[in-house]
Amino acid sequence: MVGPFGGVTAATALRAVLDDPRCAGEPVSITVNYAGPIAEGPFTIESRLVRTNRSTQHWMLTLSQGDAVHTTATVVCGARRASWSDTEITAPAAPAPESVAITTPPGFPVWMDNYEMRFVEGHGPLAGEQVEQPTSTTTLWVRDTPPRPLDQLALTALSDVFIPRVMVRKGTMVPASTVSLTVYFHADATTLAEQGAQPVLATAGAQHFGDGFFDQTAQLWGVAGTPLATSHQLVYFKG
């Protein structure tokens, strides 16, 4: 509501790490704290490699404009190795993406023009659903516009592609802004390559609203039912 799309800010912070020649392994998590709105114009990202271990590497970042810090972030990279694996969460039921109509972007916020969205449930007021709902859950098929192969940066941005859950519940626009976002990456580079430019199945919901804040959890799935990422965030709202 007061700055650029938080998903792009998070992806920009992650890119500062991935472009660093000292980076080792693949990203396994990123936490971004949005301290203040970023104005249009130049900004600086300072990255500090805190420690490199045998399995993990830890980074701290700050995004500044002038003398003010607007965003802080931490990134953990890891050496992915073959191990026992299992998935306890399950993907939501959804028809094939090609059978779901594409929603026309509302024009505001502008960043939604960068995505092809096919809503299965929980459209929210930005997609024409302007009535109060009993649940804040949204499920949709989504991908970049124009389509491009999924990578870790695009996956980071997609983890924040949902409008604030309070808008879905109340069925109306409400001033709201992400305070903190954490993304956990479950897909390695091979899995992302297999996903290619196909739509991602994304679902999100809140757990509690109160005292001007709510939390939101999200899951992103590949077309083969493979978990790609999960995320958690804290959102400030009025009303």
Side-chain angles (χ1 to χ4, degrees):
M1 304 296 288
V2 293
F5 174 38
V8 167
T9 302
T12 302
L14 180 60
R15 179 163 189 173
V17 171
L18 298 183
D19 284 353
D20 194 304
R22 298 171 296 173
C23 179
E26 297 183 8
V28 293
S29 73
I30 180 173
T31 296
V32 183
N33 297 311
Y34 302 90
I38 302 170
E40 184 174 353
F43 58 86
T44 299
I45 294 181
E46 295 183 6
S47 58
R48 181 163 68 95
L49 177 56
V50 178
R51 179 164 177 160
T52 299
N53 300 319
R54 292 177 59 186
S55 298
T56 58
Q57 185 180 63
H58 301 258
W59 295 79
M60 297 182 66
L61 304 99
T62 57
L63 186 154
S64 305
Q65 285 185 312
D67 296 329
V69 173
H70 292 259
T71 303
T72 64
T74 58
V75 173
V76 179
C77 294
R80 295 185 181 273
R81 302 182 179 94
S83 70
W84 177 85
S85 63
D86 189 33
T87 303
E88 294 193 4
I89 56 175
T90 56
E98 59 271 14
S99 67
V100 182
I102 298 174
T103 297
T104 302
F108 174 82
V110 177
W111 62 261
M112 294 186 76
D113 293 338
N114 295 320
Y115 292 100
E116 175 192 284
M117 297 182 174
R118 301 171 183 262
F119 285 90
V120 177
E121 63 174 325
H123 298 59
L126 295 182
E129 194 171 67
Q130 299 185 4
V131 294
E132 194 164 326
Q133 300 294 321
T135 174
S136 65
T137 300
T138 289
T139 301
L140 75 159
W141 290 102
V142 59
R143 63 177 172 179
D144 287 284
T145 297
R148 70 180 185 87
L150 186 67
D151 59 17
Q152 293 143 338
L153 301 176
L155 185 59
T156 301
L158 284 170
S159 297
D160 191 38
V161 78
F162 311 92
I163 66 171
R165 302 294 82 205
V166 65
M167 297 184 187
V168 176
R169 278 296 305 271
K170 296 178 70 67
T172 186
M173 295 288 289
V174 175
S177 183
T178 301
V179 177
S180 182
L181 166 69
T182 296
V183 180
Y184 300 107
F185 302 97
H186 303 303
D188 60 14
T190 300
T191 301
L192 295 180
E194 292 172 350
Q195 174 69 19
Q198 300 175 91
V200 168
L201 182 60
T203 186
Q207 298 179 106
H208 175 73
F209 302 86
D211 300 324
F213 294 92
F214 68 87
D215 62 332
Q216 171 180 305
T217 62
Q219 301 171 5
L220 283 79
W221 299 83
V223 290
T226 304
L228 302 176
T230 53
S231 70
H232 302 267
Q233 64 177 268
L234 182 70
V235 183
Y236 161 83
F237 75 97
K238 289 183 180 180

